[in-house]
Amino acid sequence: FSVTGTTMPSKKVSTRIKVTFADTLLASDIAIDVTCAENAREFPYVLRRVLNKEKRVAPINQSIKKVGDATYELTIRRRASSLSVLTIHGHSNNEYDVYVDPNDTIFDVKLLLAPLINSKPEYIQLNYNTERRLKDDENVMKSNCLNPDIVLMFWLELPNKKAIS
């Protein structure tokens, strides 16, 4: 029994997009390269990191809306003055507290949790009472995540760098 195959060199995908700014303090439109395809799951995370680097707006304060073909608009998001504590549990009996505002989504929670666990937010998955995986676009308040009877747990899904061909 033998297996033969060839490994194709991996080619980095880069997407050039245009970003406009609703806030005039951020200056004029820019064209940036994002190191993944626009339809990739990690695209919103990578886009926010690039915009943070280019314009110094923290990812949690970015509100991004697609306005056209490869064109996005960035608005600076103002978080509420009254924040609620959301406790997230790891699988090693560790707990992390993040402060959420009424408009925060699971995507935002991942942005807040990532530096606490030293990970990229796109690798984080959140689980609601071990019953279901939470989606990035779910609102934290509307999903009842702040209920003390609910346990939110996270785990990491890391990319496989050496996939078997």
Side-chain angles (χ1 to χ4, degrees):
F1 177 78
S2 69
V3 177
T4 58
T6 59
T7 304
M8 300 298 289
S10 68
K11 198 162 94 174
K12 283 261 184 188
V13 174
S14 184
T15 306
R16 177 160 288 269
I17 63 165
K18 177 183 175 184
V19 180
T20 62
F21 303 102
D23 190 329
T24 56
L25 295 175
L26 293 172
S28 58
D29 303 352
I30 61 170
I32 57 174
D33 291 320
V34 179
T35 58
C36 64
E38 194 174 4
N39 62 352
R41 185 181 70 80
E42 68 271 13
F43 179 79
Y45 299 100
V46 176
L47 174 59
R48 278 173 172 72
R49 272 197 297 277
V50 171
L51 287 171
N52 180 40
K53 185 177 178 184
E54 291 289 325
K55 292 296 182 177
R56 303 286 186 244
V57 177
I60 192 67
N61 294 328
Q62 297 175 16
S63 178
I64 299 174
K65 175 174 70 172
K66 185 168 181 153
V67 292
D69 186 35
T71 305
Y72 293 81
E73 180 182 70
L74 170 74
T75 305
I76 295 177
R77 177 179 158 210
R78 309 283 182 225
R79 297 186 82 213
S81 58
S82 61
L83 301 174
S84 302
V85 177
L86 176 66
T87 300
I88 303 167
H89 303 269
H91 289 280
S92 301
N93 293 324
N94 43 357
E95 294 182 354
Y96 301 91
D97 290 337
V98 295
Y99 294 86
V100 295
D101 103 349
N103 297 315
D104 279 346
T105 62
I106 296 302
F107 183 91
D108 298 319
V109 170
K110 290 178 179 183
L111 293 173
L112 294 168
L113 180 62
L116 299 176
I117 63 171
N118 198 25
S119 177
K120 290 184 177 180
E122 59 266 33
Y123 299 159
I124 301 171
Q125 297 301 322
L126 292 170
N127 182 311
Y128 182 94
N129 260 6
T130 68
E131 294 173 3
R132 68 180 182 90
R133 180 184 290 195
L134 292 164
K135 297 178 184 165
D136 281 355
D137 62 352
E138 286 186 65
N139 179 282
V140 173
M141 301 289 189
K142 291 178 184 170
S143 296
N144 204 25
C145 292
L146 292 173
N147 182 326
D149 295 331
I150 301 300
V151 175
L152 286 184
M153 295 188 83
F154 78 90
W155 74 94
L156 301 176
E157 287 186 358
L158 302 172
N160 187 355
K161 301 262 187 212
K162 295 182 179 184
I164 299 172
S165 300

